[in-house]
Amino acid sequence: MVRAKSWHGVLVANALPYHADLSVDFDRYAEHVAWLAASGLDGITPNGSLGEYQVLTPQERTRVVETAVAAAPAGFSVIPGVAAYGAREAAGWAEAAAKAGADAVMLLPPNSYRADERAVLDHYRAVAAVGLPIVAYNNPIDTKVDLVPALLARLFDEGLIVAVKEFTGDPRRAYEIAELAPGLDVLIGSDDSVLEFAVAGAKGWVSCFTNVFPRTCAELYRACMALELDPARELYRLLHPLLRWDARSEFVQAIKLSMDMAGRYGGPCRPPRLALTPEHEAAVRHATQQALDRGCT
């Protein structure tokens, strides 16, 4: 499948490995980036929620992007998250991403502030001035700011964004976005909606469980995009008990546990994230083992 743009295809929202003392293991992270690329994926989106960017120091957050760019082979996109409380900080992260050699950036609305439409437009204008293409990230579950299709159309019409990672899980939005903003690429933002959004015309998937099963997730994506519905549904049903964790508060812990079980280092999380409860751990282990027993890789 030929990619026309750096944000098309299967992009990995990567987990970040820590040493036992919870310092970032940059060597292991570089190896993970290279492994994802060798597994047939198209790019990586460092410093997202799965990468626990909220608990990184500025120095760590900068080095994460630099490490990803250095480890990425030619053609493997690096599209860092540049989320921040306000536009000045977000623009600073975008400048750092440009300096490191990133292909584009992914931008939430202002964090921890229920921005109105004026504030959202101002936020995206400030970051767009840096010059890198922006993939908007619509996650009203966490931000409490909904980038509704009409607002996305305004952002696109001003030339501020090139795509949107849609995390509402509502594939109906893809059709309205296509009506109001033809040319704005929709990326699948929640793992448990990949089939529905692919049918609706998505151009890519920002995926979390690709950290665990990159080849199988790529196979699922390609079957969905080709509308090969029988094999797509079979894989989707197998993986869905895991993919649903992407929309839960404990998704980082769940994905890291699955990584450990699959022979990839997931490891611990930084506070405030705690270990999974016994009930949740058992559910993740059961679903992961089912996938492993079926040959998922």
Side-chain angles (χ1 to χ4, degrees):
M1 189 177 295
V2 177
R3 292 197 303 153
K5 298 168 184 174
S6 63
W7 51 89
H8 286 186
V10 184
L11 308 174
V12 186
N14 65 272
L16 191 64
Y18 299 116
H19 295 287
D21 65 358
L22 296 186
S23 61
V24 179
D25 189 339
F26 288 102
D27 290 339
R28 186 170 257 148
Y29 176 57
E31 186 275 332
H32 189 57
V33 174
W35 177 75
L36 291 170
S39 298
L41 305 179
D42 298 302
I44 197 163
T45 61
N47 288 337
S49 298
L50 181 54
E52 300 176 72
Y53 78 93
Q54 302 97 328
V55 295
L56 299 180
T57 67
Q59 294 79 16
E60 289 171 332
R61 191 167 170 180
T62 299
R63 190 175 170 189
V64 164
V65 178
E66 294 170 345
T67 301
V69 171
F76 189 75
S77 302
V78 178
I79 303 177
V82 294
Y85 185 85
R88 292 179 64 186
E89 185 182 358
W93 290 122
E95 289 168 356
K99 183 178 179 181
D103 299 277
V105 295
M106 188 170 294
L107 178 62
L108 285 164
N111 281 7
S112 305
Y113 174 72
R114 193 165 295 187
D116 60 14
E117 185 169 303
R118 294 179 308 121
V120 169
L121 288 166
D122 184 75
H123 190 73
Y124 279 85
R125 286 169 184 150
V127 179
V130 174
L132 282 178
I134 294 176
V135 176
Y137 181 5
N138 186 33
N139 185 353
I141 299 167
D142 291 334
T143 66
K144 310 306 179 187
V145 177
D146 194 351
L147 301 179
V148 296
L151 179 51
L152 289 170
R154 287 200 62 183
L155 293 168
F156 181 66
D157 289 344
E158 280 198 32
L160 304 178
I161 62 173
V162 296
V164 57
K165 175 187 174 182
E166 182 56 66
F167 194 77
T168 60
D170 183 357
R172 295 173 298 180
R173 291 202 174 199
Y175 300 97
E176 189 174 359
I177 291 168
E179 293 167 10
L180 298 178
L184 177 63
D185 292 335
V186 174
L187 307 184
I188 305 155
S190 50
D191 281 3
D192 61 347
S193 63
V194 58
L195 176 58
E196 294 82 0
F197 270 96
V199 170
K203 300 297 184 183
W205 178 20
V206 184
S207 171
C208 291
F209 270 93
T210 41
N211 287 278
V212 187
F213 300 121
R215 292 175 179 84
T216 302
C217 285
E219 181 184 353
L220 170 61
Y221 173 76
R222 292 177 187 128
C224 291
M225 293 295 286
L227 301 182
E228 297 170 351
L229 295 184
D230 286 341
R233 278 194 295 261
E234 183 179 355
L235 274 178
Y236 201 35
R237 288 192 180 106
L238 172 62
L239 291 175
H240 215 271
L242 287 174
L243 302 183
R244 289 195 293 268
W245 282 92
D246 186 28
R248 300 187 62 163
S249 299
E250 307 87 356
F251 77 111
V252 181
Q253 298 96 311
I255 289 164
K256 285 190 167 186
L257 173 57
S258 288
M259 291 173 69
D260 287 333
M261 291 184 63
R264 301 300 302 172
Y265 179 81
C269 299
R270 281 184 177 175
R273 289 182 172 88
L274 302 176
L276 293 171
T277 65
E279 178 184 2
H280 287 168
E281 179 178 343
V284 173
R285 285 189 178 278
H286 177 72
T288 304
Q289 192 60 53
Q290 279 192 317
L292 289 170
D293 290 345
R294 291 282 296 275
C296 293
T297 60

